[in-house]
């Protein structure tokens, strides 16, 4: 008898940032997300969760979080899809960050940016 294969999807990613409120404001502005929760978290830190109904990003900080991350250690980037890539780029710039790596190849157009802590994000549009 064959066993059914589990079906899943990404529920959340938990990343360490130096200023979760600043990071939350960027993601809410960029993606139309909402704040889902905030409060104290493990290791004497605090978290702000932003996202949609099923999926979200947990933005964690604590006294030991210093930022200044180097690409690829261990995270290469986090990617988001948007309907309007030009509008998304304007949001990133309005938050004082610099888009780069603009490219257009199947299956979509994209750009990248680093946040204040050195975390790389990719923004893609399939429109």
């Amino acid at each position: 008898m064959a066993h059914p294969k589990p079906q899943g999807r990404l529920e959340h990613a938990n990343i360490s940032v130096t200023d979760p409120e600043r990071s939350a404001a960027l993601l809410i502005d960029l993606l139309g997300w909402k704040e889902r929760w905030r409060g104290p978290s493990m290791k004497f830190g605090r978290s702000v969760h932003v996202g949609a109904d099923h999926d979200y990003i947990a933005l964690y900080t604590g006294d030991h979080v210093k930022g200044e991350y180097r690409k690829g250690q261990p995270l290469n980037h986090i990617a988001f899809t948007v309907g309007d890539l030009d509008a998304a780029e304007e949001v990133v710039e309005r938050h004082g960050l610099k888009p780069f790596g603009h490219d257009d190849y199947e299956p979509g157009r994209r750009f990248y940016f680093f946040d204040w802590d050195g975390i790389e994000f990719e923004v893609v549009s399939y429109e």
Side-chain angles (χ1 to χ4, degrees):
M1 181 171 161
H3 294 285
K5 291 190 177 195
Q7 296 294 312
R9 63 190 225 197
L10 184 67
E11 190 226 8
H12 78 274
N14 187 327
I15 59 175
S16 295
V17 297
T18 54
D19 186 339
E21 288 77 18
R22 175 178 64 184
S23 297
L26 169 66
L27 295 178
I28 288 167
D29 200 15
L30 178 65
L31 303 168
W33 284 358
K34 64 184 178 189
E35 182 176 310
R36 294 172 39 128
W37 180 85
R38 71 169 52 213
S41 58
M42 295 173 19
K43 297 184 183 175
F44 310 105
R46 62 188 171 87
S47 290
V48 178
H49 295 184
V50 294
D53 290 336
H54 183 273
D55 43 12
Y56 65 96
I57 301 281
L59 303 162
Y60 166 81
T61 198
D63 290 341
H64 63 288
V65 176
K66 304 299 181 206
E68 300 174 5
Y69 301 119
R70 291 184 17 207
K71 178 177 170 52
Q73 295 191 348
L75 184 70
N76 286 309
H77 62 258
I78 298 172
F80 302 112
T81 56
V82 296
D84 186 332
L85 195 66
D86 296 330
E89 186 168 359
E90 289 176 13
V91 169
V92 169
E93 290 172 339
R94 193 166 59 246
H95 282 263
L97 303 169
K98 294 183 186 255
F100 69 91
H102 298 78
D103 216 337
D104 185 355
Y105 57 86
E106 287 300 321
R109 293 175 49 224
R110 70 205 69 244
F111 70 85
Y112 299 83
F113 68 93
F114 287 101
D115 78 349
W116 306 273
D117 294 311
I119 300 169
E120 185 178 69
F121 293 91
E122 178 182 0
V123 184
V124 181
S125 179
Y126 299 122
E127 302 297 315

